[in-house]
Amino acid sequence: MSDFIVHVTIMSGLYALLALSLNLQAGFGGLMNFGQIGLFACGLYGAAIAFQFDLSAIFGFAFAIVAAALLGWAFASVGRNLQADYWGIVTLALAEVIRIIATNEDWLTGGAQGIGGIRPFYFDLDSQTRQIAILFTVLALVLAAALLCRHLIGGRYGLSIKIMREEPQLAASLGYNTITLKRQLMAVSSVLAAISGFLFAHYISFAGPEQIDSSETFLIWAMIVVGGLGNNIGAIVGAFLLQFAFAFIPFVKDWIGLPTEYVAAGRLFLTGGGLIIFILWRQSGIVPERVGGGRYV
């Protein structure tokens, strides 16, 4: 059971990085990114492609970071003059393009079969010790990402992106270049998503197109809506809460006596139901955004 809890905690930490990234864009910047999983794909396939061509993990990491930053920059550039809803549709379409490329470019991505056998981190350790080492690595990165987000939001830069979120025209009249702000915000947050994807590929030793399906983006949305949009702690709480809820659905299914196929249905119900319930009755989430922008959120 302890190995299972460690595994779920690692997965929760990886999703917490994605949630912090999306929260930075949508929660603080008001950028409705429905293609978040495309940024995750940069890290996932950065690790996989480096392994496929016998390149070092450092090269894969550098490739992932640069690709994600450029993609985030492209997201912001393509949608710089679009309203939030249209910008969300464009990002969703771009993420689908990335998934289709990953599915069809066999020579580069392994196609629909994906790339397996990616060397895990700490491979020279025994299985149990490696799990613990990965757990502490992921938790340390979540803490570092949370501190980075806190630092960005707590200063003048954070104030500028909040003004851009609430009153774009006011931000422009005050001299802020909103297009530059969007590009910078997308580039920084994209790096967090890519780090999550890079760690994920090395953790499960596999990268495939089914891992970058658009439904994953809405799972990340559910995490920040349930946890608290515009609150870094809320994003982490939402990621851990939903991941642990998903992990224990099979046990609940056995307790109730339902067939195995109800596990997937239960996870969809939790994601969709959680979104609906919190949007209708508690839009601020479990940990609401602090009015006035305290440095600790």
Side-chain angles (χ1 to χ4, degrees):
M1 188 67 176
S2 61
D3 290 343
F4 175 71
I5 295 296
V6 169
H7 168 70
V8 176
T9 307
I10 291 172
M11 293 300 296
S12 301
L14 295 176
Y15 273 97
L17 287 173
L18 282 170
L20 284 169
S21 166
L22 184 59
N23 192 47
L24 200 57
Q25 301 164 39
F28 294 111
L31 305 177
M32 306 297 285
N33 182 6
F34 293 145
Q36 177 73 358
I37 203 65
L39 305 173
F40 174 83
C42 294
L44 186 77
Y45 278 100
I49 292 171
F51 172 77
Q52 170 116 313
F53 293 96
D54 291 327
L55 301 172
S56 68
I58 295 175
F59 176 87
F61 184 74
F63 175 82
I65 296 300
V66 172
L70 290 176
L71 183 61
W73 188 276
F75 274 15
S77 299
V78 170
R80 62 186 183 277
N81 295 322
L82 297 177
Q83 293 181 347
D85 45 0
Y86 290 105
W87 196 76
I89 294 170
V90 168
T91 56
L92 176 62
L94 287 173
E96 273 300 287
V97 168
I98 293 170
R99 189 185 65 79
I100 291 170
I101 292 173
T103 305
N104 292 284
E105 295 299 325
D106 296 33
W107 65 276
L108 182 65
T109 63
Q113 301 301 318
I115 298 172
I118 301 169
R119 177 177 288 184
F121 290 123
Y122 312 113
F123 64 93
D124 51 342
L125 300 176
D126 65 79
S127 176
Q128 193 166 28
T129 308
R130 181 167 62 240
Q131 284 285 92
I132 298 297
I134 293 173
L135 171 66
F136 280 104
T137 301
V138 170
L139 292 180
L141 285 171
V142 171
L143 177 61
L147 292 174
L148 172 65
C149 293
R150 170 196 164 193
H151 175 72
L152 289 174
I153 298 305
R156 290 176 59 85
Y157 181 74
L159 179 62
S160 65
I161 65 171
K162 285 183 178 180
I163 294 174
M164 179 183 72
R165 177 191 68 184
E166 298 296 335
E167 297 289 347
Q169 292 180 339
L170 175 61
S173 69
L174 291 174
Y176 293 116
N177 187 328
T178 56
I179 296 174
T180 300
L181 285 175
K182 288 178 182 178
R183 286 172 173 164
Q184 292 172 345
L185 190 61
M186 285 299 303
V188 171
S189 59
S190 298
V191 168
L192 296 181
I195 291 172
S196 175
F198 183 81
L199 293 171
F200 185 82
H202 281 282
Y203 176 57
I204 68 167
S205 299
F206 178 75
E210 69 274 14
Q211 294 163 339
I212 55 174
D213 191 86
S214 295
S215 60
E216 288 293 308
T217 291
F218 294 98
L219 171 59
I220 305 163
W221 266 102
M223 290 172 175
I224 63 171
V225 169
V226 170
L229 200 61
N231 189 305
N232 293 319
I233 296 173
I236 297 172
V237 168
F240 276 78
L241 182 65
L242 282 186
Q243 275 299 302
F244 270 86
F246 285 178
F248 282 94
I249 282 179
F251 299 103
V252 175
K253 179 265 298 177
D254 292 339
W255 181 62
I256 298 175
L258 294 174
T260 304
E261 55 265 30
Y262 279 84
V263 172
R267 288 173 176 161
L268 284 175
F269 177 78
L270 267 181
T271 304
L275 272 173
I276 293 171
I277 289 170
F278 276 83
I279 288 174
L280 288 179
W281 289 295
R282 190 174 172 83
Q283 295 181 4
S284 57
I286 296 172
V287 189
E289 180 181 9
R290 290 181 60 181
V291 176
R295 292 190 64 87
Y296 290 90
V297 298

